[in-house]
Structure formats: structure tokens, C-alpha cells
Amino acid sequence: MTQDERNRIIALVKREVVPAIGCTEPMAVALAVAKAKETLGSLPKQIVVWLSANMLKNAMGVGIPGTGMIGLPIAIALGALVGKSEYSLEVLKDTTPEDVEQGKEYIAQNRIKILQKKDTAEKLYIEVECHNGDDNVSVIITGAHTHFSRIAKNGEVLLDDSASSSGDGAAEDPKLTMRMVYDFAMTAPESEIHFILETAELNKRAAEMSLNNRFGHGLGRTIFMEPKCQFFGNGIYSKILSYTSAACDARMAGVKVPVMSNSGSGNQGIAATLPVWVFAKERLKTEEELARALMLSHLTVIYIKQSFGRLSPLCGCVVAATGSACGITWLLGGTYEQIVYAVKNMMANITGMICDGAKPSCSLKVATGVSTSVLSAMLAVEDEVVTPAEGIIDEDVEKCVRNMAAIGLQGMAATDNLVLDIMTNK
């Protein structure tokens, strides 16, 4: 692999693996509102937001950091009141309790309207209109949570990047394969991938905060404390489950703590990081070994998401836990072939898990995903793999990924619509 190829992959990882406070869907909406307010130059008197079905689904029931509230209205209000677009997905990190009270008042004044954008094929679509007297601003985000595809003020187009699906240099992104992912993670100089260790520092901090408190459904803390029965003991497996689900508990409850996301999802970043970090820590692996395992995990997630796109009817923990399965397999001494086995074992098991929005119970799905990653890795290093004679698995790992993507994007499309219908008609 040439230096230029490595540089392009590093740039891709640095763009996809970034800090985020709170669920990325409402934060992306708050980001669009903040940009619209900044362009308008004053506090909007009215805000109208149109969202694609997947965006709406993922933003309805999740906690907004620092507010003690759930859902889009408070995220939109705070985006207008205190949001700063320069902070990207940490757009609301300056929020104070006084700001939250102002946000509640802003909502009570009926200044916000939220609608579903039904005439778009984009899974990730945010359109914000801010009005103040004769002035109005329109901001559109598409393709990626931070990609501004269009900005207009009073009819004058200030930015038009609609030809790019995700912006930020994505047109030059390398088209990854599983072999490229492995070769890069194993052969890149340690100094070039050292930055990936920050994912562990950030995400373990969120987990530890949650283990010392009770956020969301408290799954991570429940596993960690085991107050009634010794189901799990105190081994690596229980620690992987407790740390990973604890970080998710905190994030989905709206705790104001940053996590390192992957491909626009904090939960994906958590599930790709913490199982690998716990395993490496418990097995006394070196810092370089941890860095390579984390890079293998995160880059596997990015590779699979290239087939899926940002949002899909398939739960992101399926993809993220596949990454951690690869990292754990390598830390167990696994070869490239065995890492491929781990991918196939994952896809044979939990492909089909639905996404029914971001919410506190996501910690249960994350725990399911990472528990499967451990099982898949254990089998893989014993040369046990689900064969092409079984279900959706193909001999070629690239075809396996395409099969899973086809199920998630095409096969589950009707399921996705039904899920949203159920969620919005309760």
C-alpha cells in the first residue's frame, strides 16, 4: 500500500470517526438550525423543519444532552438560541440550564413546526427554514450529518453542493474492500494510526460515568453490579457487555458527555471501540496492538457503511459489532481468513435487527450486537465459520456485505415504513 493510499484512508477515518455529544440525528437538526440562525443574523421568529422518515424516526425518542428532555423540539429551540455550527456535532455543548428554560419558552410560543419530507429518496435529509420578518433562510443537510448541501437567504443561493452526496472530500474517498481494511490496519506505521486511541479514551469515559450513575435503562450498570444473581461473573465477556451498554445508556439518556462516533452514529462508535478496548486491556495487549485492533474495527465499520449509507432500516449495531468482532479476532491471534470468518458469523446471526429509532433501549441492541461479536470471534479463531450452504452467506466476503446491504436497504424498506407508522401513531 502506497503512502498516498494510506493518506486517503487516514483522511477518511478522521472524517468518519469524530466526537459527538448526544444522538447524531437531533444534533444534525440542531446544527442545521444553528447555521440557519447564523445566516439569518437574528433569532428566528418561526422555524419550519422537514425531515426524511429515517431522520424523524431516529430523533423522536432520544434524550437531548443537558436538558432532561427528549425529542426534536428542544434540540431545534436550542440550536436557534445557543447552537454554534462551528462545533459541528457538538453544536449544543455550550448549553446552560438557563438556556434550557429559554428553549422551553420558545417551544411554548409555538415557533417550531416539524414535518416529514415525503418527496425525497434521501435517507438522511434535513431542511430548515428560519423566518424573521421579511428575512428568511433555508438550509439543507443531505447525505451526511454535517454536509450542508444548500444554503439560501431571501432567495439568493449562498451555497450549492447538492451534487455531492456527503461533501468534505468524499468524492476522493477510497472504495474499500475487506482486504484493504486489514492490510492498512496491519501495515500502516503505528505513528500514522495512533490517533485512533482517542476513541477509547473518549468512549470509556462515557461508560465509566454511566457505571457510577444510572442513566437510561441502566443496562450497563445492572450487568456491572449484578445485584441479584451472578449471571455473568467478572470476566472479559461481562466487562465488554457492561462497558459498551453503559456508554450507550448515557448517550441515549441525553447525558452531556461526548463520545467518538463512527459514520455519523455515536452508538456505532461505542460498539466499534469498547469491546476491543476491554479485550485488549484485560489481555494486557500493547498500545500498538490496541491501536491496530481499533483501526481494524473502525475501518471495517466504515467499509460496510459504504454499501449501506448513513441510515438504513437495519440497526447500526449489526455493522458496528461486526467491526469489533474483527478487532477481537485479531487480538486473539486470528489471521485475515479468520477475521473474514468472524464477519460471516456476524452476518449469519443478527442481520435483520430492525432500527426503531434512537432511544434508551438501544443499549439492549448494542449489548446483543457485541455479545454476538465475542461469539463470532471465538468461533472464527477455531476455524468455525457459517458456510455458503447456509442462508445469506457467500464464499466471497464482499458479496456477503452486499447481501446484507440488500436486505437492509431493499428487503426491509416496507418494514421501515411500518415501524415509522407504528411509532407516529401510538
Side-chain angles (χ1 to χ4, degrees), residues 286-360:
T286 66
E287 189 174 79
E288 180 176 346
E289 287 173 317
L290 174 59
R292 295 197 184 280
L294 285 172
M295 182 57 72
L296 177 60
S297 177
H298 278 281
L299 197 53
T300 297
V301 177
I302 294 168
Y303 151 63
I304 297 174
K305 292 295 286 185
Q306 284 185 334
S307 296
F308 274 85
R310 297 286 170 157
L311 301 176
S312 84
L314 189 70
C315 178
C317 81
V318 176
V319 177
T322 300
S324 61
C326 294
I328 292 171
T329 301
W330 182 74
L331 289 172
L332 281 166
T335 63
Y336 170 72
E337 288 73 20
Q338 289 169 329
I339 288 167
V340 168
Y341 292 169
V343 173
K344 293 180 179 181
N345 291 342
M346 286 293 299
M347 293 181 179
N349 192 337
I350 55 175
T351 294
M353 182 185 290
I354 65 167
C355 171
D356 55 342
K359 61 215 176 298

Side-chain angles (χ1 to χ4, degrees), residues 166-180:
S166 57
D168 300 324
E172 291 78 41
D173 285 347
K175 182 63 177 174
L176 299 172
T177 65
M178 194 66 224
R179 185 81 223 193
M180 285 174 63

Side-chain angles (χ1 to χ4, degrees), residues 359-417:
K359 61 215 176 298
S361 61
C362 283
S363 62
L364 289 162
K365 296 190 179 189
V366 166
T368 297
V370 299
S371 67
T372 305
S373 73
V374 175
L375 299 177
S376 297
M378 288 173 59
L379 285 175
V381 295
E382 295 296 326
D383 291 324
E384 292 291 344
V385 60
V386 178
T387 68
E390 304 172 70
I392 65 170
I393 301 305
D394 195 281
E395 187 66 41
D396 182 357
V397 68
E398 313 298 332
K399 290 183 180 178
C400 287
V401 172
R402 291 197 293 271
N403 290 346
M404 185 167 72
I407 290 169
L409 295 175
Q410 301 166 34
M412 295 176 68
T415 299
D416 205 31
N417 292 331

